[in-house]
Amino acid sequence: MMSQAMRERVPYDVVNDIFGLLPVKSLTRFRSVSKTCNSIISDPTFISTHFNLNLNLTKSLTSTNTHSGYLLYTPTVTVTEDHSSSTSKQLCTVVCNDPTLPPVSKFEIPPIFDEFSIVGFCNSVFCLASYDQDLNHIIYLWNPSIRKFKKLRSTLFLYSNVTVVFGFAFDSKNNDFKVLRLITFREKKPQAEAEIYTLSTDSWRKVILTMESLRGYEPNFGSIVSILPRSVFCNGALHFIANTCVHHFILSFDVHDETFHEMKMPLPQNYALSFQLAVFKGLLAIIYFFHGLCHFWVMEEYGVVGSWTRKFLIPMDSPHDFYCCTDNGELIFKSANGLVSINPPRSRSILAIEDANWVGFSANSMESLVLLDQGTLRRIVAVGTWKPPVRPNPNQASSHFPPSISSLV
């Protein structure tokens, strides 16, 4: 415990600066050392400062790293240390550059997320949601490094023909996380809607989406009837494939000014193909399968329709599920033999991951204290090993556990 004498010898701002350089795991332990430590670490200003320091450090390390980033995945079957299968789910992180995929971290996914899927992640925070009609109004933000999640509730629609997709991103200009929920209605139902959640204000706002609002005039394309899942984040915006009855386009959402825009796709509208978006070496890309070939297009200059360029034609016997691109340009697919890494145009290798429900790529393995200061909200709960809470001596840190927080050690 930090004694009174020590607190008198070490100025508050010095302690604050030292804590700012410590890893998340150490800080979470130090919260139980004393009320003073807990007060410093739990302060929203400190959490923001620590986050920005980590973010800047991560960017610096990413530019000098020799490896190509990290793969994150949730294995279909979890294997325990004694090599037996388990019903618990895990989130695993491995290094990309080594064929053996050296592990970096492994977190148990709380059972409360069993009906939910990862729909996005950035800067150590994961967004989970469900496409089920009865659950798609519930969204979770989860920070596995501090074992906490935040439950969000959006609009519950009673229509039976509602389709919902999700996006999640970090607004670097406002230093804030945002969740995007897009709702479309089939047949002659209301116009498509967007619900935007901002973490800093813990609030939602709603926007009606029409082709007129995207173009400034009515192009006679009809209403937006579908928006496909798997958004990608590029150039400060989330991107989705969207459709009217006669028109296909890319719907972009600028996370800073919260505006929507239409972007034209590189192919004629009569192509009846299934498209997927990607980010290839920082550029917006689109992928589709046609006649035994994987077609890969890249927008060389963001926002300029004429800059769409067909980058690769990759022979494939059958369509593969596409997951993501790494920073060095490798394409990660799911095939009958497991996960495959393709370095266009010819090089390909089978990764040491037999099967996965979800796969993502991150240039860094950053951890943060985001969601730690949300203890006053009842929707925050500590998670992890799911053991009964163990509280420290009240004389040490009585303020460490707000009523809505459970500590699991």
Side-chain angles (χ1 to χ4, degrees):
M1 187 194 311
M2 185 182 293
S3 66
Q4 180 66 31
M6 182 179 293
R7 288 197 294 270
E8 291 175 353
R9 289 198 304 268
V10 183
Y12 181 92
D13 57 342
V14 174
V15 175
N16 197 72
D17 290 343
I18 294 172
F19 280 179
L21 300 175
L22 296 178
V24 167
K25 187 174 183 180
S26 297
L27 291 173
T28 54
R29 289 176 176 174
F30 287 161
R31 289 184 69 204
S32 60
V33 169
S34 70
K35 291 182 180 180
T36 301
C37 291
N38 179 57
S39 177
I40 293 173
I41 297 168
S42 303
D43 183 79
T45 302
F46 173 79
I47 292 173
S48 178
T49 301
H50 185 269
F51 176 85
N52 289 323
L53 285 171
N54 265 2
L55 191 60
N56 291 333
L57 178 61
T58 296
K59 290 178 180 178
S60 175
L61 292 176
T62 300
S63 63
T64 58
N65 274 344
T66 56
H67 63 72
S68 54
Y70 303 87
L71 279 183
L72 297 83
Y73 68 97
T74 56
T76 303
V77 178
T78 300
V79 180
T80 60
E81 292 183 358
D82 61 357
H83 302 289
S84 62
S85 61
S86 171
T87 57
S88 64
K89 298 181 180 179
Q90 293 179 338
L91 171 65
C92 304
T93 302
V94 296
V95 178
C96 282
N97 69 325
D98 191 311
T100 62
L101 302 178
V104 175
S105 65
K106 185 180 293 183
F107 293 99
E108 185 173 330
I109 301 176
I112 196 171
F113 297 153
D114 281 352
E115 303 298 322
F116 297 82
S117 304
I118 297 174
V119 295
F121 72 99
C122 54
N123 297 337
S124 78
V125 179
F126 290 76
C127 183
L128 297 98
S130 173
Y131 297 100
D132 186 273
Q133 183 76 34
D134 298 325
L135 295 173
N136 62 31
H137 66 293
I138 299 175
I139 301 168
Y140 288 99
L141 299 182
W142 177 43
N143 185 342
S145 58
I146 59 172
R147 300 182 178 184
K148 289 191 179 178
F149 64 79
K150 180 178 180 64
K151 184 178 181 180
L152 314 177
R153 290 186 181 274
S154 53
T155 305
L156 174 61
F157 291 94
L158 301 179
Y159 302 110
S160 60
N161 60 346
V162 173
T163 303
V164 178
V165 297
F166 307 90
F168 180 61
F170 178 70
D171 177 2
S172 59
K173 294 182 180 179
N174 291 322
N175 200 31
D176 209 349
F177 290 88
K178 294 183 179 180
V179 177
L180 178 64
R181 182 174 182 252
L182 299 173
I183 307 102
T184 52
F185 307 88
R186 294 184 294 276
E187 301 174 358
K188 295 181 180 180
K189 291 296 183 182
Q191 298 279 5
E193 296 181 3
E195 294 181 335
I196 306 159
Y197 174 82
T198 303
L199 179 61
S200 63
T201 59
D202 190 32
S203 62
W204 291 89
R205 79 177 185 93
K206 183 179 293 187
V207 177
I208 302 299
L209 285 178
T210 64
M211 292 305 299
E212 183 178 5
S213 68
L214 297 175
R215 290 193 165 198
Y217 65 94
E218 176 53 60
N220 202 27
F221 286 152
S223 302
I224 299 173
V225 295
S226 70
I227 301 174
L228 304 183
R230 287 199 183 184
S231 65
V232 298
F233 184 75
C234 179
N235 207 60
L238 286 165
H239 300 79
F240 302 80
I241 299 292
N243 307 282
T244 70
C245 291
V246 294
H247 182 58
H248 314 293
F249 63 98
I250 298 173
L251 176 67
S252 70
F253 170 72
D254 188 304
V255 299
H256 172 57
D257 59 20
E258 298 186 353
T259 56
F260 290 88
H261 305 276
E262 175 196 12
M263 300 176 70
K264 290 186 178 180
M265 296 166 64
L267 297 172
Q269 290 296 312
N270 59 357
Y271 272 65
L273 302 169
S274 177
F275 299 96
Q276 285 183 261
L277 295 175
V279 178
F280 179 79
K281 296 184 177 180
L283 302 176
L284 185 64
I286 194 166
I287 185 173
Y288 68 91
F289 296 93
F290 189 64
H291 288 326
L293 294 171
C294 170
H295 297 245
F296 198 91
W297 290 69
V298 172
M299 182 177 266
E300 299 284 359
E301 185 176 351
Y302 184 80
V304 179
V305 176
S307 70
W308 279 113
T309 304
R310 190 172 69 184
K311 200 77 171 176
F312 308 113
L313 276 176
I314 306 171
M316 287 189 172
D317 296 334
S318 60
H320 292 46
D321 290 335
F322 172 74
Y323 279 124
C324 57
C325 296
T326 67
D327 273 0
N328 68 351
E330 292 181 45
L331 315 181
I332 308 299
F333 291 88
K334 180 179 180 178
S335 70
N337 297 319
L339 263 62
V340 177
S341 173
I342 299 178
N343 195 348
R346 295 181 179 84
S347 174
R348 66 180 66 195
S349 60
I350 297 177
L351 300 178
I353 301 173
E354 290 187 6
D355 200 2
N357 293 317
W358 172 86
V359 179
F361 171 81
S362 177
N364 62 72
S365 59
M366 175 181 172
E367 294 185 344
S368 78
L369 296 170
V370 174
L371 301 184
L372 186 66
D373 61 328
Q374 302 292 317
T376 56
L377 300 175
R378 293 185 178 180
R379 291 174 297 194
I380 302 297
V381 183
V383 297
T385 55
W386 297 92
K387 296 178 181 178
V390 179
R391 299 180 181 272
N393 189 318
N395 295 323
Q396 293 181 335
S398 59
S399 62
H400 181 65
F401 294 93
S404 60
I405 299 293
S406 298
S407 176
L408 299 156
V409 294

